[in-house]
């Protein structure tokens, strides 16, 4: 059957919301038992209300029953909800926040105190005293963002008791025991900084004698008053601690030696690539140690918005590229000295658990093999010809570039529009964060639209991670200015090139991307670029959010993004808040919001909705009961996707 033509946006596609929510899962993390070498993963299932399940990857078998949910709400964004060691899994159970242990053949058993409003995440098991579990603890006894307390604790899983080993800082992350158990390293930082802005790594001595734990501050790895990020610590052996720092302007690997008490760069010359993304979630693993004796490390890094892999040669201080078909890689774990597992996506395949075998790590070009152990969408029957491939774009100027990715309309059954003069309608997507980035791996929401004849553009606007510290810092003092200007520039550039229809261009985004959406359609300088907007749990009132209207992790995030606190520059917060500029909005607006969102509360959507209604503007809002910051239930995902598409079709008159 030869391809036919039809108006853009009306193409028939097998990628339906029903198929996506029924046949796909979200892969959350990869777990590796360092003793048994068994591989596990955590998957979130929309069909089960968004429950997160620990799965034996090879056997494809859940390790616990349907009443358990391996999720943590530390920092609200979570991460690091579980760890497996010598056949025993430890996990945070979100309904009560307690940590449970589980071994085959038994029911999960609580190992933390009962009836306390604690949350736990980012675990590490002591290599000698295996009943001791290091963890980040978040205390919600006084459940206000200004009074929540974060500490670093050691859980005695035999006695269900806690020993606090670090306190006083606003935040802690990545507690990691040395292989001999004599030390523990961890990251810490304080308001108003985020971990990718200024942080430090501390190395403590650690001694366990029965139930008695003693510890001491041995070393702080930091750059004093300079705004330098230091994070992702991992011991390569009991003397050498590897970590990442952006001291050079890009997040590159360094190492600290216990014996010499010195920290030095691993690379002979810094490279202009970030070796990790900004740490919004806990327990990220952007690299792994393959061989402790030969000190072989496999790193991932970001190059032109895509992940690349390297073997680090300790002797020559150089990086050896590893052939890699994927563009998005995370949660890297070593199985043995030649095998590792990670989560990855390519431009044609969805998120999956991948096993990589390197026949000779000293010469990785001699042979590498990849095996898919688990796909997030194994049963989706979509042909390759329906997948839109990303096209990298560099906009702006040579000195001030802006990065974007275009996904053109793609469907093997269609050969363009039935009107040869028609240009495709366009969706400009502003990612969250705002210090996030738009991964180029296969995303079904994007393909849902491109397979129907839409163009989709992801904009890595000023402030996005993955392009170095200077690019991140470009948003300091300019949030609500630079980001919306970059999104508008991308939209107008593509329309002027004849690749999209400038009269049918939508902007959409979630969280910080929702703020960018609302700001873009409410500012006279940028509203002309967009004819419709969709905000998914976006910020409309910066002043309200700054005054304890969000969670602790991001409570002071806006200080640098806005150029000062709300008390210092109240007029700037007022001027840039979309709720105060809603009278300028001419574009129809769709608001999608969870009722239980603690990051961007529902009143943010309600405030701008009321003003637009009072002025007779076109605004629609859908509330999702029980959903937080992001939709995880099957019905919510389906309704949100179909509502957004229907809204655009109605506004643009598509299919009428």
């Amino acid at each position: 059957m030869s391809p036919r033509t039809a108006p853009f946006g009306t193409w028939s596609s097998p990628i339906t919301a029903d198929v996506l929510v029924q046949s796909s899962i979200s892969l959350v993390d990869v777990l590796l038992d360092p003793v048994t070498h068994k591989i596990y993963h955590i998957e979130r299932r929309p069909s089960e209300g968004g429950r997160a399940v620990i799965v034996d990857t090879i056997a494809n078998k859940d390790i616990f029953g349907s009443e358990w949910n391996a999720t943590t709400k530390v920092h609200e964004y979570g991460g690091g909800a579980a760890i497996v060691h010598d056949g025993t899994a430890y996990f945070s159970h979100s309904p009560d926040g307690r940590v449970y242990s589980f071994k085959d053949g038994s029911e999960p058993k609580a190992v933390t105190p009962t009836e306390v409003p604690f949350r736990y995440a980012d675990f590490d098991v002591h290599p000698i005293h295996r009943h001791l579990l290091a963890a980040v603890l978040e205390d919600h006894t006084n459940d206000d963002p200004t009074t929540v307390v974060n500490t670093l604790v050691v859980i005695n899983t035999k006695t269900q008791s806690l020993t606090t080993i670090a306190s006083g800082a606003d935040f802690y992350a990545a507690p990691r025991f040395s292989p001999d158990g004599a030390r523990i390293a961890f990251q810490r930082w304080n308001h108003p900084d985020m971990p990718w802005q200024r942080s430090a790594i501390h190395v403590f001595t650690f001694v366990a004698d029965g139930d008695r734990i003693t510890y001491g501050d041995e070393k702080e790895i930091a750059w004093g008053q300079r705004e330098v990020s230091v994070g992702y610590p991992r011991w390569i052996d009991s003397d050498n601690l590897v970590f990442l720092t952006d001291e050079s302007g890009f997040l590159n690997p360094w190492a600290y030696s216990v014996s010499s008490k010195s920290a030095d760069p691993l690379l002979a010359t810094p490279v202009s690539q970030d070796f990790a993304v900004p740490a919004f979630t806990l327990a990220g693993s952007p690299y792994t140690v393959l061989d402790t004796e030969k000190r072989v490390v496999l790193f991932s890094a970001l190059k032109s918005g895509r992940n690349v892999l390297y073997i680090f040669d300790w002797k020559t201080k150089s990086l050896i590229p590893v052939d890699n078909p994927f563009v998005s890689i995370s949660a890297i774990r070593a199985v043995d000295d030649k095998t590792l597992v990670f989560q990855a996506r390519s431009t044609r395949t969805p998120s999956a658990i991948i096993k990589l075998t390197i026949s000779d790590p000293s010469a990785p070009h001699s042979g590498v093999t990849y095996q898919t152990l688990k796909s997030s969408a194994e049963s989706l029957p979509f042909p390759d010809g329906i997948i839109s491939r990303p096209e990298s774009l560099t906009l702006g100027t040579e000195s001030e570039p802006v990065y974007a990715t275009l996904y053109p309309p793609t469907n093997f059954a269609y050969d363009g529009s039935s009107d040869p003069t028609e240009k495709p309608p366009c969706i400009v997507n502003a990612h969250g964060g705002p210090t996030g980035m738009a991964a180029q791996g296969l995303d079904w929401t994007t393909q849902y639209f491109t397979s129907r004849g839409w163009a989709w553009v992801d904009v890595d606007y000023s402030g996005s991670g993955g392009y170095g510290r200077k690019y991140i810092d470009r948003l300091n003092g300019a949030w609500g200015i630079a980001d919306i200007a970059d999104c508008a520039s991308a939209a107008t550039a593509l329309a002027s090139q004849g690749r999209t229809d400038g009269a049918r261009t939508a902007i959409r985004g979630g969280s910080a991307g929702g703020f960018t959406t609302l700001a873009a359609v409410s500012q006279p300088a940028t509203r002309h670029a967009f004819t419709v907007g969709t905000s998914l749990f976006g910020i409309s009132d910066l002043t309200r959010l700054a005054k304890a209207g969000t969670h602790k992790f991001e409570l002071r995030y806006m200080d640098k993004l806005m150029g000062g606190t709300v008390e210092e520059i109240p007029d700037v917060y007022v001027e840039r808040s979309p709720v105060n500029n809603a009278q300028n909005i001419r574009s129809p607006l769709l608001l999608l919001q969870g009722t239980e969102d603690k990051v961007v509360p529902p009143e943010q959507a309600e405030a701008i909705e009321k003003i637009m209604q009072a002025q007779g503007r076109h605004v629609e809002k859908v509330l999702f009961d029980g959903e937080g910051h992001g939709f995880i239930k099957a019905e919510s995902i389906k309704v949100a996707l179909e509502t957004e598409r229907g809204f655009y079709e109605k506004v643009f008159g598509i299919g009428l």
Side-chain angles (χ1 to χ4, degrees), residues 271-290:
V271 296
S272 298
Q273 297 172 18
D274 282 328
F275 280 61
V277 296
F280 278 95
T281 57
L282 292 164
S285 183
Y287 66 93
T288 192
V289 179
L290 282 174

Side-chain angles (χ1 to χ4, degrees), residues 70 153 157 230 258 282 323 488 490 497 508 513 548 558 599:
V153 300
T157 61
V230 190
V258 171
L282 292 164
D323 290 338
Q497 295 168 12
R508 56 98 70 190
M558 288 191 291
V599 179

Side-chain angles (χ1 to χ4, degrees), residues 364-375:
H365 286 300
S366 64
V368 295
T369 58
Y370 291 92
Q371 178 186 358
T372 299
L373 302 181
K374 172 76 175 185
S375 173

Side-chain angles (χ1 to χ4, degrees), residues 294-616:
K294 297 179 180 179
R295 296 192 288 189
V296 177
V297 186
L298 181 136
F299 289 101
S300 64
L302 288 156
K303 185 177 182 180
S304 301
R306 299 184 174 196
N307 277 108
V308 293
L309 294 177
Y310 298 112
I311 291 287
F312 174 69
D313 188 318
W314 201 279
K315 292 181 181 178
T316 63
K317 304 293 183 183
S318 61
L319 298 169
I320 306 171
V322 179
D323 290 338
N324 165 36
F326 303 101
V327 296
S328 178
I329 295 173
S330 62
I332 304 173
R333 317 286 182 188
V335 179
D336 53 44
D337 60 358
K338 295 182 180 179
T339 311
L340 54 130
V341 290
F342 51 78
Q343 184 177 333
R345 287 186 289 167
S346 75
T347 60
R348 291 187 290 179
T349 57
S351 181
I353 307 300
I354 303 295
K355 183 171 79 170
L356 166 60
T357 303
I358 305 174
S359 58
D360 183 359
S362 64
H365 286 300
S366 64
V368 295
T369 58
Y370 291 92
Q371 178 186 358
T372 299
L373 302 181
K374 172 76 175 185
S375 173
S376 61
E378 292 179 343
S379 61
L380 295 180
F382 304 142
D384 184 67
I386 207 165
I387 302 301
S388 180
R389 310 294 171 80
E391 178 183 333
S392 297
L393 306 173
T394 301
L395 308 170
T397 64
E398 185 174 346
S399 60
E400 295 285 329
V402 175
Y403 305 102
T405 305
L406 171 66
Y407 296 83
T410 303
N411 188 323
F412 68 95
Y414 293 87
D415 188 19
S417 173
S418 51
D419 178 354
T421 67
E422 184 191 18
K423 305 301 179 186
C426 178
I427 298 172
V428 174
N429 181 59
H431 63 68
T435 317
M437 67 175 296
Q440 295 182 22
L442 179 65
D443 177 80
W444 289 121
T445 297
T446 301
Q447 304 299 326
Y448 177 85
F449 284 98
T450 57
S451 64
R452 287 173 168 78
W454 291 75
W456 179 286
V457 185
D458 283 324
V459 183
D460 278 338
Y461 49 79
S462 298
S464 299
Y467 301 94
R469 183 60 182 268
K470 181 180 177 181
Y471 198 77
I472 287 176
D473 288 346
R474 269 169 50 174
L475 202 60
N476 288 349
W479 195 31
I481 298 175
D483 51 325
I484 65 175
D486 292 346
C487 289
S489 294
T492 54
L494 289 168
S496 66
Q497 295 168 12
R499 306 193 68 178
T500 61
D501 185 349
R504 296 187 296 169
T505 295
I507 183 170
R508 56 98 70 190
S511 191
F515 165 74
T516 298
T517 295
L518 296 173
V521 297
S522 64
Q523 292 291 341
T526 52
R527 70 184 186 191
H528 68 279
F530 308 106
T531 44
V532 63
T534 296
S535 169
L536 297 94
F537 36 90
I539 304 157
S540 69
D541 190 336
L542 297 168
T543 302
R544 177 182 289 188
L545 197 73
K547 292 181 176 180
T550 187
H551 59 142
K552 180 186 176 183
F553 179 63
E554 294 180 306
L555 190 63
R556 301 285 303 278
Y557 192 8
M558 288 191 291
D559 289 13
K560 291 182 179 179
L561 293 173
M562 299 299 294
T565 67
V566 67
E567 292 78 17
E568 293 168 339
I569 51 171
D571 291 347
V572 174
Y573 281 73
V574 171
E575 291 166 3
R576 295 192 202 166
S577 291
V579 73
N580 299 321
N581 299 302
Q583 72 278 3
N584 296 323
I585 300 176
R586 301 292 183 267
S587 305
L589 184 64
L590 175 64
L591 305 169
L592 304 175
Q593 176 72 47
T595 61
E596 303 303 314
D597 195 338
K598 305 301 182 184
V599 179
V600 180
E603 52 263 29
Q604 291 280 332
E606 294 166 3
I608 199 164
E609 178 195 26
K610 288 180 180 178
I611 293 175
M612 290 192 67
Q613 286 177 334
Q615 295 184 344

Side-chain angles (χ1 to χ4, degrees), residues 4 96 101 125 143-144 160 162 167 207 222 234-235 285 291 307 345 405 429 459 496 535 570:
R4 58 189 185 275
D96 62 14
S101 67
V125 176
D143 197 17
D144 181 275
Q160 295 186 14
L162 308 174
S167 62
V207 178
R234 183 181 296 275
W235 294 92
S285 183
D291 190 322
N307 277 108
R345 287 186 289 167
T405 305
N429 181 59
V459 183
S496 66
S535 169

Side-chain angles (χ1 to χ4, degrees), residues 32-353:
L32 192 284
D33 188 326
V35 179
T36 66
H37 303 292
K38 285 190 67 172
I39 302 165
Y40 302 83
H41 67 272
I42 302 177
E43 60 184 54
R44 188 177 301 282
R45 297 172 179 167
S47 61
E48 297 181 24
R51 186 173 72 100
V53 184
I54 303 177
V55 181
D56 180 329
T57 305
I58 303 302
N60 196 27
K61 178 183 177 182
D62 297 357
I63 72 166
F64 51 50
S66 60
E67 68 272 28
W68 300 99
N69 189 344
T71 303
T72 178
K73 294 184 179 179
V74 173
H75 297 177
E76 295 298 334
Y77 294 131
I83 191 171
V84 185
H85 193 99
D86 197 16
T88 298
Y90 299 95
F91 66 95
S92 168
H93 178 52
S94 64
D96 62 14
R98 298 178 76 185
V99 178
Y100 289 78
S101 67
F102 171 82
K103 204 172 182 70
D104 283 343
S106 63
E107 278 295 306
K109 174 186 176 183
V111 297
T112 54
T114 186
E115 296 180 354
V116 287
F118 292 169
R119 302 175 182 180
Y120 305 86
D122 210 350
F123 307 109
D124 198 37
V125 176
H126 193 279
I128 309 300
H129 306 285
R130 296 182 178 179
H131 65 291
L132 299 179
L133 187 67
V136 174
L137 184 150
E138 191 169 84
D139 182 351
H140 286 254
T141 300
N142 296 312
D143 197 17
D144 181 275
T146 61
T147 54
V148 168
V149 177
N150 292 67
T151 56
L152 199 68
V153 300
V154 172
I155 303 167
N156 185 325
T157 61
K158 292 181 178 178
T159 62
Q160 295 186 14
S161 59
L162 308 174
T163 300
T164 301
I165 63 172
S167 62
D170 288 321
F171 300 100
Y172 295 90
R176 302 293 180 259
F177 288 112
S178 59
D180 61 4
R183 287 171 178 80
I184 186 170
F186 57 89
Q187 183 189 26
R188 57 172 280 176
W189 68 97
N190 289 297
H191 282 316
D193 294 301
M194 300 300 285
W196 55 84
Q197 293 174 327
R198 177 161 50 194
S199 51
I201 287 175
H202 283 248
V203 179
F204 276 20
T205 57
F206 187 91
V207 178
D209 183 8
D211 291 336
R212 183 170 179 266
I213 294 172
T214 57
Y215 53 90
D217 194 350
E218 177 181 286
K219 176 71 175 181
E220 180 186 50
I221 304 169
W223 267 259
Q225 295 304 308
R226 290 180 57 199
E227 294 195 1
V228 175
S229 170
V230 190
Y232 296 101
R234 183 181 296 275
W235 294 92
I236 194 168
D237 54 39
S238 294
D239 185 54
N240 294 283
L241 177 75
V242 176
F243 60 93
L244 302 180
T245 175
D246 60 5
E247 186 274 341
S248 69
F250 287 84
L251 207 57
N252 277 201
W254 280 51
Y256 165 69
S257 168
V258 171
S259 57
S260 67
K261 298 190 181 302
S262 63
D264 299 287
L266 279 187
L267 305 180
T269 303
V271 296
S272 298
Q273 297 172 18
D274 282 328
F275 280 61
V277 296
F280 278 95
T281 57
L282 292 164
S285 183
Y287 66 93
T288 192
V289 179
L290 282 174
D291 190 322
T292 57
E293 291 186 7
K294 297 179 180 179
R295 296 192 288 189
V296 177
V297 186
L298 181 136
F299 289 101
S300 64
L302 288 156
K303 185 177 182 180
S304 301
R306 299 184 174 196
N307 277 108
V308 293
L309 294 177
Y310 298 112
I311 291 287
F312 174 69
D313 188 318
W314 201 279
K315 292 181 181 178
T316 63
K317 304 293 183 183
S318 61
L319 298 169
I320 306 171
V322 179
D323 290 338
N324 165 36
F326 303 101
V327 296
S328 178
I329 295 173
S330 62
I332 304 173
R333 317 286 182 188
V335 179
D336 53 44
D337 60 358
K338 295 182 180 179
T339 311
L340 54 130
V341 290
F342 51 78
Q343 184 177 333
R345 287 186 289 167
S346 75
T347 60
R348 291 187 290 179
T349 57
S351 181
I353 307 300

